[in-house]
Amino acid sequence: MEPKIIRNKEEMRNWSRSMRAQGKTIGLVPTMGYLHQGHLSLITEAQKHTQLIVVSIYVNPGQFAVNEDLSTYPSDLHGDIEKLKSIPNGVDVVFNPQNLYDYGVEREQLKEREKEKEGGVVSCLEDEEHETWIRVEKLEKGMCGKSRPVFFRGVATVVAKLFNIIEPDVAVFGKKDYQQWRIIQRMVRDLDFAVKVIGSELKREEDGLAMSSRNVHLSPQQREQALSISRSLFEAKSAAKSGKNISSELRRSVIESIEAAGGKFDYVEIVDQESLQTVEEIKNGVVVCVAAWFGKVRLIDNMEIS
Amino acid sequence: MEPKIIRNKEEMRNWSRSMRAQGKTIGLVPTMGYLHQGHLSLITEAQKHTQLIVVSIYVNPGQFAVNEDLSTYPSDLHGDIEKLKSIPNGVDVVFNPQNLYDYGVEREQLKEREKEKEGGVVSCLEDEEHETWIRVEKLEKGMCGKSRPVFFRGVATVVAKLFNIIEPDVAVFGKKDYQQWRIIQRMVRDLDFAVKVIGSELKREEDGLAMSSRNVHLSPQQREQALSISRSLFEAKSAAKSGKNISSELRRSVIESIEAAGGKFDYVEIVDQESLQTVEEIKNGVVVCVAAWFGKVRLIDNMEIS
């Protein structure tokens, strides 16, 4: 099935409204493109809930800090559309806007304002006119929020924009980005968005590596080393199941595995699945979350233990 | 006309959606109740734009700091509804929720979490489960944002909630709350809300005092003293029209009038109407904004000079 490509906000909203007026329900799968099997599984999940599917493909500058990998984030729109065509029952719309933060303000004015800008951590939107940010103040603090302080405000904000433009009934997020998924759930509850948020299971390559658009940047050697993440997570899960319930010990063995393989961990945390607060003793409903560097590539992964 | 009273979020959204499905347009006038002629003029303005009118009456704890006047904020739901009935063509729905921040989390859990809470400025929601806040980072900083640091995040957040629950086509805000109006406009643009924001002119009592629910707390003497605000604003406008274009001089004379009358100014600022940045020389499109205390009552007022 050939998806309709929409690049304009107004056209997107008009499409959704005309569909809703016909009684159709709409599912949204937000992505940054360079689609892999993990994304396709989100779409399959969305198809279970709604009649129509919109996939957004937009690399959001609002969630990248100026020193991060916005400029090298991989993209392949043509390939993405080919993949979407191959999905059984397909996708109705690909929403692929050029710039979601262009409000038609003259460049001259922006340059004036840039001069006035204050210090502090800023995203790749620092010289833009945009100034409204959504903060999910507790959940955004830990884990990825520590090393990427503008990341979650950028994610929450762009998702709110997409919700307001596309007006979906359901939105599907991957549990690979566990903290992101919980933050979006919380935002939807706290701001009363009329959107049902679905978390879809993390997908792994056959060798266990969590699927990610960033995997393409790994050298063959790094690719091999990166398997230490999933391997140590599976080991931690088995250990917990067999009664080893001291978080600090499980955490230490995950860290040791990653370091032994040549990786550098950003964080390894064992947290409550809902509050994302660290737990000392593993009882019920925790998740082990990992972020680690292999060369210049930062990977994340996680394992729920229920 | 007898408005329908709705207290429940789901019922409210269902009403709006059934009306939209019939092709009707919806205007929202958000208020904190204790309605006066100023509010009624917002409704008359809204009637020009949409077929149906929703008035929300909700004193939003999220915009009051713990030391502010939430507990003494005046309310009179019965009187409000009588006033709404008297409006020509009337109001279709009064949305009067009990608590927009009750997400069904057990009190016990909240108490646990309260113990963990960190320092910093907090709103009257500090012991609630809510943690998502919308910040309009530049516009929220000055004027009322200086002395009321949680105010605008609370306003922006509750307005976003109301937009998501009521899904209006148009929302009308009073230009009396000038900074608030500009912040909501900016939020709507930056988050792509499908809502048209209309600013409605400030209404004054016959003697010039800006209409406000808080005026009821003024003693007769304070009421008299408070006229110094509007008087000095009209004087500033005439002075500017007659060529006195140095902001600092106009500002000083407003301050002197208020202090001479026995008031205490919180701020007097002459700012650009769009950016709310202070201007040194009055050219075009400025607004003089004032907040001042008379006894325990804090009043705001403003005057556009175009």
Side-chain angles (χ1 to χ4, degrees):
Chain A
M1 187 170 118
E2 183 90 37
K4 183 179 168 74
I5 315 284
I6 298 182
R7 297 187 193 277
N8 175 284
K9 291 178 185 181
E10 287 310 310
E11 193 190 337
M12 184 67 243
R13 185 182 286 131
N14 290 342
W15 181 87
S16 290
R17 292 201 167 187
S18 72
M19 293 301 142
R20 171 161 292 158
Q22 294 168 40
K24 299 276 175 60
T25 54
I26 299 168
L28 168 65
V29 179
T31 81
M32 299 211 300
Y34 214 74
L35 304 180
H36 50 65
Q37 204 54 42
H39 296 109
L40 305 188
S41 74
L42 302 181
I43 294 167
T44 310
E45 179 64 34
Q47 287 173 334
K48 295 179 196 161
H49 303 275
T50 59
Q51 294 155 298
L52 300 170
I53 304 294
V54 177
V55 173
S56 63
I57 296 182
Y58 181 60
V59 180
N60 172 35
Q63 71 196 56
F64 287 82
V66 284
N67 60 337
E68 290 177 347
D69 61 347
L70 174 62
S71 62
T72 59
Y73 198 87
S75 88
D76 176 16
L77 185 64
H78 181 75
D80 289 345
I81 290 168
E82 289 305 311
K83 282 176 191 148
L84 293 174
K85 278 193 212 168
S86 73
I87 297 179
N89 300 316
V91 159
D92 299 278
V93 169
V94 171
F95 180 51
N96 178 229
Q98 179 112 69
N99 179 358
L100 283 180
Y101 303 89
D102 178 2
Y103 306 115
V105 180
E106 297 287 338
R107 282 282 125 187
E108 300 271 304
Q109 289 178 41
L110 287 180
K111 285 203 180 128
E112 273 301 303
R113 284 177 202 171
E114 196 179 2
K115 287 180 206 151
E116 302 160 5
K117 81 183 175 234
E118 293 170 31
V121 188
V122 286
S123 74
C124 292
L125 286 175
E126 63 173 322
D127 56 347
E128 298 286 338
E129 169 72 353
H130 184 93
E131 62 168 301
T132 305
W133 298 102
I134 297 177
R135 312 292 300 250
V136 181
E137 295 192 352
K138 292 176 207 160
L139 290 178
E140 75 171 20
K141 282 211 173 83
M143 302 203 285
C144 283
K146 273 188 196 149
S147 57
R148 304 187 70 188
V150 305
F151 179 63
F152 287 120
R153 70 163 208 188
V155 169
T157 302
V158 83
V159 169
K161 287 167 75 75
L162 291 170
F163 284 179
N164 284 336
I165 294 165
I166 300 166
E167 300 182 341
D169 300 283
V170 166
V172 179
F173 291 83
K175 285 164 75 172
K176 163 150 182 295
D177 301 302
Y178 203 90
Q179 189 176 9
Q180 167 177 292
W181 168 53
R182 290 300 192 189
I183 283 173
I184 298 300
Q185 274 189 321
R186 185 59 46 92
M187 175 185 82
V188 163
R189 188 198 69 178
D190 284 0
L191 298 184
D192 291 300
F193 275 103
V195 178
K196 185 175 177 191
V197 175
I198 308 269
S200 183
E201 297 306 323
L202 184 154
K203 288 280 161 187
R204 299 186 179 283
E205 304 290 351
E206 285 201 0
D207 58 10
L209 186 70
M211 288 184 181
S212 165
S213 303
R214 288 186 173 94
N215 291 349
V216 71
H217 292 312
L218 294 166
S219 70
Q221 195 204 350
Q222 289 166 343
R223 178 83 178 59
E224 189 62 34
Q225 295 171 334
L227 295 178
S228 59
I229 304 178
S230 52
R231 206 185 310 118
S232 65
L233 283 174
F234 279 111
E235 281 164 12
K237 186 173 182 175
S238 313
K241 294 274 181 200
S242 68
K244 290 200 174 171
N245 65 350
I246 308 302
S247 285
S248 57
E249 292 174 10
L250 291 177
R251 181 175 174 272
R252 196 173 321 120
S253 57
V254 172
I255 291 174
E256 281 169 5
S257 298
I258 292 169
E259 289 181 337
K264 210 180 130 210
F265 81 99
D266 178 6
Y267 62 80
V268 174
E269 293 203 25
I270 303 181
V271 299
D272 179 82
Q273 286 180 11
E274 288 267 344
S275 71
L276 305 186
Q277 295 290 309
T278 52
V279 297
E280 285 171 24
E281 199 178 314
I282 293 175
K283 287 174 235 168
N284 216 0
V286 303
V287 54
V288 189
C289 295
V290 175
W293 292 89
F294 291 86
K296 289 185 175 173
V297 188
R298 183 174 175 279
L299 301 174
I300 63 172
D301 198 343
N302 68 76
M303 182 74 62
E304 286 181 311
I305 303 176
S306 294
Chain B
M1 187 171 117
E2 184 89 37
K4 181 179 171 74
I5 315 283
I6 298 182
R7 295 187 194 276
N8 175 284
K9 292 178 186 180
E10 287 310 310
E11 194 190 337
M12 184 66 242
R13 185 181 286 132
N14 290 342
W15 181 88
S16 289
R17 292 201 167 186
S18 70
M19 292 302 142
R20 172 161 292 159
Q22 294 168 40
K24 298 276 175 59
T25 54
I26 299 168
L28 168 65
V29 179
T31 82
M32 300 213 298
Y34 213 76
L35 304 179
H36 50 65
Q37 205 55 42
H39 296 107
L40 305 188
S41 75
L42 302 181
I43 294 166
T44 310
E45 178 65 34
Q47 287 173 333
K48 294 179 198 160
H49 303 274
T50 59
Q51 294 155 298
L52 299 170
I53 304 294
V54 177
V55 174
S56 63
I57 297 183
Y58 180 61
V59 181
N60 171 34
Q63 72 196 57
F64 288 83
V66 285
N67 61 337
E68 289 177 347
D69 61 347
L70 174 62
S71 62
T72 60
Y73 198 88
S75 88
D76 175 16
L77 185 63
H78 182 75
D80 288 345
I81 290 168
E82 288 306 309
K83 282 176 192 149
L84 293 175
K85 278 192 211 168
S86 73
I87 297 179
N89 300 316
V91 159
D92 299 277
V93 169
V94 172
F95 179 51
N96 178 229
Q98 181 112 69
N99 179 358
L100 284 180
Y101 303 89
D102 178 2
Y103 306 115
V105 180
E106 298 288 339
R107 282 282 125 188
E108 302 268 304
Q109 289 178 40
L110 287 179
K111 283 199 181 130
E112 273 301 304
R113 285 177 201 174
E114 197 177 1
K115 286 180 206 149
E116 302 160 6
K117 81 182 174 235
E118 293 169 32
V121 188
V122 286
S123 75
C124 292
L125 285 176
E126 61 173 323
D127 57 347
E128 298 286 337
E129 169 72 352
H130 184 93
E131 62 168 300
T132 306
W133 298 102
I134 297 177
R135 312 291 302 251
V136 181
E137 295 193 350
K138 292 176 205 161
L139 290 178
E140 75 171 19
K141 282 211 174 84
M143 301 203 284
C144 284
K146 273 188 195 150
S147 57
R148 305 187 71 189
V150 304
F151 179 63
F152 287 119
R153 69 162 208 189
V155 169
T157 302
V158 82
V159 169
K161 287 166 75 75
L162 291 169
F163 285 178
N164 284 336
I165 294 166
I166 300 165
E167 299 182 341
D169 300 284
V170 166
V172 180
F173 292 82
K175 285 164 75 171
K176 164 152 180 292
D177 301 301
Y178 203 90
Q179 190 176 8
Q180 167 177 292
W181 167 53
R182 289 299 191 189
I183 283 173
I184 298 300
Q185 275 189 321
R186 185 59 47 94
M187 175 185 82
V188 162
R189 186 198 70 176
D190 284 0
L191 298 184
D192 292 301
F193 275 104
V195 179
K196 184 175 179 190
V197 174
I198 308 268
S200 183
E201 297 306 323
L202 185 154
K203 287 281 159 183
R204 299 186 179 282
E205 305 289 352
E206 285 203 359
D207 58 9
L209 187 70
M211 288 185 182
S212 165
S213 303
R214 288 186 172 93
N215 291 349
V216 70
H217 292 313
L218 293 166
S219 71
Q221 196 203 349
Q222 289 166 342
R223 178 85 176 59
E224 190 61 34
Q225 295 172 334
L227 295 178
S228 59
I229 303 177
S230 52
R231 205 184 313 117
S232 64
L233 283 174
F234 279 109
E235 281 164 13
K237 186 173 182 174
S238 313
K241 294 274 180 197
S242 70
K244 292 199 173 170
N245 65 350
I246 309 301
S247 285
S248 58
E249 291 174 11
L250 291 178
R251 181 174 174 272
R252 195 174 321 121
S253 58
V254 173
I255 292 173
E256 281 169 5
S257 298
I258 291 169
E259 288 182 337
K264 210 181 130 208
F265 82 100
D266 177 7
Y267 63 79
V268 174
E269 293 203 25
I270 303 180
V271 299
D272 178 82
Q273 286 179 12
E274 288 266 346
S275 71
L276 306 186
Q277 295 290 309
T278 51
V279 297
E280 284 172 25
E281 199 177 313
I282 294 176
K283 287 174 234 168
N284 216 2
V286 303
V287 54
V288 190
C289 294
V290 174
W293 291 90
F294 292 86
K296 289 184 175 173
V297 187
R298 183 174 175 280
L299 301 175
I300 62 173
D301 197 345
N302 68 76
M303 183 74 63
E304 285 181 311
I305 302 175
S306 294

